[in-house]
Amino acid sequence: MKPKRTLALLLCAALLLTALSACGATVVVVEGGGNAGTPTGAPDPAGEPGPTQEPEPTQEPDGQPGGETTAVKTGLAVLPSLSASASASGEGDGAAQADILLVAVTVDDDGVIDSCIIDSIQAKIGFNAQGALTTPLDTTFATKLELGDDYGMRAASPIGKEWNEQANTLAGYVAGKTADELKGIALDDSGHAVDEPDLTASVTIGISDLLEGVEAAVANAAHLGASKGDILGLAAETNMASSKDASSEEEGLAQAYATFAVTTTGGGVITSCLIDALQANVSFDTAGQITTDLASVPKTKNQLGDDYGMVAASSIGKEWYEQAAGFCQYVTGKSADDVAGLAVNGEGKAADADLAAAVTLSLGDFQAVVEKAAK
């Protein structure tokens, strides 16, 4: 080939490459008869890295890039009171009333509440002036969230809202706030919110106890496996099956026995779990007079810890709170249906060897509350 013609061809090729580069085209250099190419991002034959293209970050539901999750703590507070109980009198029967406030939260390491559920149980057990129970032993007590309109507050509410609606509004209001920020909410002498338009327009019940419960749940929270964005659940099962009449030999007992569970779920499985229980006991004599100090505050089984006194009777030497924690660990990673379907023996105890090594209690109450909370 003649030198001038060769030079002209080289100049044309250079101009073509410059034009393609200016238009943003990717130039693939083909060598060896077109059998090998250098793709974008791969080193070229001389060992120099080629141009790279950064991948777009994957956005997860909790806002973390690349599939990362933010761990949050799971907390439960149980605030019981017996103060509304009353002895029998010439005007009517007596009643043991256990009011049990329940608050569940998830909270991040900065103390910001991610999600919250507020609920309450009002368990009334009647007895007469002869010390005999007037409420059937097979009675169970639904929570106020479960009762919904059947709780009957709407007619007396100045804003026409039921207890469950107002509690859910407050739970939504505290999400995104810290416990310290909640302490700044102005309340009047009766515990109602003031100077908080978002609350006063939708919440007319007293909230001082409810806020105390939220703060306690945040303080109790611990890392159990939950992540930001997991679904929070709270459930309770309450009965009075151990209650009994008074007699000449012993006092009567009105016992509201409640079992609670808090769960978080993600991807269809339980990511964290908490279980606790409370025996709210009110004793009375054969004249229907209450003998229990109603100012006393019953403790939950987790709060009692070793003082509950199960170790001596336990075949595995574990207290109630330890067995409850063992059950929670076992069901974490399982679905609500898996929990409902756990195999039990004729006594209602775990048939699975691994679970039986950690829990020798009957599983019925545990299964019921965890399945309900995780649904």
Side-chain angles (χ1 to χ4, degrees), residues 185-224:
I185 296 175
L187 304 175
D188 62 20
D189 292 340
S190 58
H192 295 81
V194 294
D195 301 326
E196 296 282 345
D198 290 340
L199 279 181
T200 55
S202 304
V203 183
T204 57
I205 58 175
I207 63 171
S208 55
D209 289 347
L210 308 187
L211 292 176
E212 180 184 347
V214 174
E215 292 171 18
V218 170
N220 294 339
H223 283 293
L224 300 174

Side-chain angles (χ1 to χ4, degrees), residues 76 102 104 233-237 259-263 273-277 328 365-374:
L76 168 66
L102 306 173
L234 171 64
E237 293 282 331
T259 307
F260 326 107
V262 177
T263 62
C273 180
L274 272 171
I275 293 176
D276 204 349
C328 288
D365 286 347
F366 287 0
Q367 288 175 281
V369 290
V370 171
E371 180 191 7
K372 188 191 296 187

Side-chain angles (χ1 to χ4, degrees), residues 18 41 45 82 92 121-122 130 171 181 188 242 255 266 280 316 326 357:
T18 301
L82 305 174
I121 302 162
Q122 193 174 78
Q130 290 73 48
E181 289 174 320
D188 62 20
S242 294
Q255 182 187 86
I316 57 174

Side-chain angles (χ1 to χ4, degrees), residues 16-40:
L16 178 59
L17 288 173
T18 301
L20 287 172
S21 298
C23 294
T26 301
V27 180
V28 179
V29 180
V30 180
E31 293 184 301
N35 294 326
T38 305
T40 301

